[in-house]
Amino acid sequence: MPSESPSISTLPATVASDKKASQGEPTIRFTNVKELLQAINRISGDYLIVTDVSPTDFDELTRQERRLFRLRRYYASTGILIIVIPTILHEALHLELYRRYEHKLAKNGQEENWIPIGSTTFRPQGHPGGDGGEGDSSGGPIPERCYTGAWPTLVIEAGDSEPLGALQNDMTWWFFASDHQVNIVLLTKLDRPNQRIIIERWEEEIQTRRGATTTRRSAANPVYTPILQQSITITQNIATNPISYNVTRGALVLSFRLLFLRDPGPQEGDFVMSIAELQAYARAIWLRLG
């Protein structure tokens, strides 16, 4: 008899708090790759939590050819794997944003100095057999990040059914797993009930105690903290004809220095996605919704 299809449940609260996941998210216990694929085919959204995944299981999944899913995050200590299903909408959320950045690179004649890294699987610095993760879109400068194992300076992660809080947990992972080699993480989250897209730009800052004296030890071991530098909301307004898109908190600005690891030269500067460009981005996303 064929094996019974694995059931999709919700993650227990005790596990959820341990791995920073929200209660009620679709969850399955890992048994084998075949049953995992069956569960993925039944998911209507772009997000699935898998429990009981051993490091050996994770390594096997990374070697799967023509994978129809992305290994968002793996926590070796608890055996929890977060999977992203690249639906048409999910892919549009990050690719439409990354494509607009690449267009600006080409317009400025800088596309030859940038390498797309895509959804490469990364492992934390110094722990090749431990945790792991894949972004949606990413890239870095040439030649500084053009070698095997190089981390990107820019990562974009998207979410449709994935909660914003889970995306923010992923953002933190990128900064610390890369030993602070990732400089900018963009999160783009579709909020269907409120007909809006939320774009967050996160960077790290070195934190110091007020009035503290800088010592040789503290200077050699700085404390980095992720900081939300921008939170942009794009809301669809169906009351207008044609439908319009309202952008709050201005244009999206990406630091040239953080992307290219150097100060801008003549005719170079920060990359700015204007309000009009963000409206066009949102329009492209809603077209995928039909």
Side-chain angles (χ1 to χ4, degrees), residues 88-105:
I88 291 176
L89 184 58
H90 179 96
E91 296 299 89
L93 278 166
H94 67 91
L95 287 174
E96 288 288 343
L97 198 59
Y98 189 76
R99 183 174 65 83
R100 282 165 169 76
Y101 168 65
E102 285 194 316
H103 175 73
K104 292 184 178 296
L105 287 174

Side-chain angles (χ1 to χ4, degrees), residues 48-51 53 58 61 71 73-74 79-83:
L48 175 66
I49 296 173
V50 187
T51 64
V53 180
F58 180 71
L61 291 170
L71 305 172
R73 195 72 57 244
Y74 174 60
I80 290 181
L81 172 66
I82 297 175
I83 281 180

Side-chain angles (χ1 to χ4, degrees), residues 4-285:
E4 184 179 350
S5 297
S7 61
I8 299 173
S9 60
T10 57
L11 193 64
T14 54
V15 179
S17 61
D18 183 38
K19 287 324 305 167
K20 305 177 183 178
S22 300
Q23 187 175 11
E25 295 170 359
T27 305
I28 185 173
R29 179 179 176 273
F30 183 83
T31 53
N32 56 60
V33 174
K34 181 180 178 180
E35 291 193 351
L36 175 61
L37 294 176
Q38 291 175 357
I40 289 173
N41 289 334
R42 300 205 314 278
I43 291 291
S44 59
D46 64 345
Y47 181 65
L48 175 66
I49 296 173
V50 187
T51 64
D52 296 328
V53 180
S54 70
T56 301
D57 295 330
F58 180 71
D59 287 338
E60 180 184 357
L61 291 170
T62 64
R63 293 192 296 268
Q64 289 290 308
E65 296 184 2
R66 295 186 295 277
R67 261 195 281 128
L68 300 179
F69 54 90
R70 199 163 290 142
L71 305 172
R72 169 78 89 198
R73 195 72 57 244
Y74 174 60
Y75 301 98
S77 62
T78 57
I80 290 181
L81 172 66
I82 297 175
I83 281 180
V84 163
I85 297 92
T87 63
I88 291 176
L89 184 58
H90 179 96
E91 296 299 89
L93 278 166
H94 67 91
L95 287 174
E96 288 288 343
L97 198 59
Y98 189 76
R99 183 174 65 83
R100 282 165 169 76
Y101 168 65
E102 285 194 316
H103 175 73
K104 292 184 178 296
L105 287 174
K107 185 177 179 180
N108 295 343
Q110 295 165 323
E111 70 273 24
E112 298 300 324
N113 300 319
W114 183 264
I115 181 170
I117 300 176
S119 56
T120 300
T121 305
F122 286 93
R123 312 299 281 265
Q125 295 287 291
H127 300 280
D131 295 356
E134 300 172 349
D136 286 320
S137 289
S138 63
I142 299 173
E144 291 84 357
R145 298 295 171 88
C146 189
Y147 58 88
T148 301
W151 289 78
T153 55
L154 171 67
V155 174
I156 302 177
E157 293 210 345
D160 176 14
S161 60
E162 181 175 3
L164 180 59
L167 286 171
Q168 291 170 343
N169 291 337
D170 295 333
M171 169 273 301
T172 301
W173 184 89
W174 280 106
F175 287 131
F176 288 93
S178 70
D179 195 22
H180 316 290
Q181 295 184 60
V182 171
N183 289 335
I184 300 174
V185 178
L186 293 180
L187 307 178
T188 174
K189 163 65 181 169
L190 179 64
D191 180 3
R192 295 196 194 212
N194 295 303
Q195 295 182 303
R196 64 180 183 172
I197 298 170
I198 301 168
I199 300 175
E200 294 186 346
R201 174 170 62 89
W202 290 84
E203 299 170 5
E204 284 190 303
E205 292 183 358
I206 297 177
Q207 299 296 298
T208 57
R209 292 183 294 108
R210 182 174 298 178
T213 301
T214 300
T215 65
R216 182 176 301 176
R217 179 176 180 180
S218 63
N221 299 282
V223 177
Y224 292 89
T225 301
I227 301 295
L228 178 60
Q229 301 289 2
Q230 280 190 279
S231 180
I232 298 170
T233 302
I234 312 171
T235 306
Q236 184 187 53
N237 184 357
I238 61 176
T240 60
N241 188 15
I243 293 173
S244 60
Y245 300 89
N246 302 322
V247 179
T248 63
R249 304 185 186 93
L252 176 63
V253 181
L254 304 179
S255 164
F256 182 97
R257 182 180 58 81
L258 293 180
L259 292 168
F260 281 87
L261 306 177
R262 62 176 176 84
D263 292 330
Q267 310 303 315
E268 295 178 333
D270 293 344
F271 296 87
V272 179
M273 293 189 193
S274 67
I275 289 177
E277 289 172 313
L278 292 174
Q279 289 171 328
Y281 164 72
R283 190 176 301 112
I285 300 304

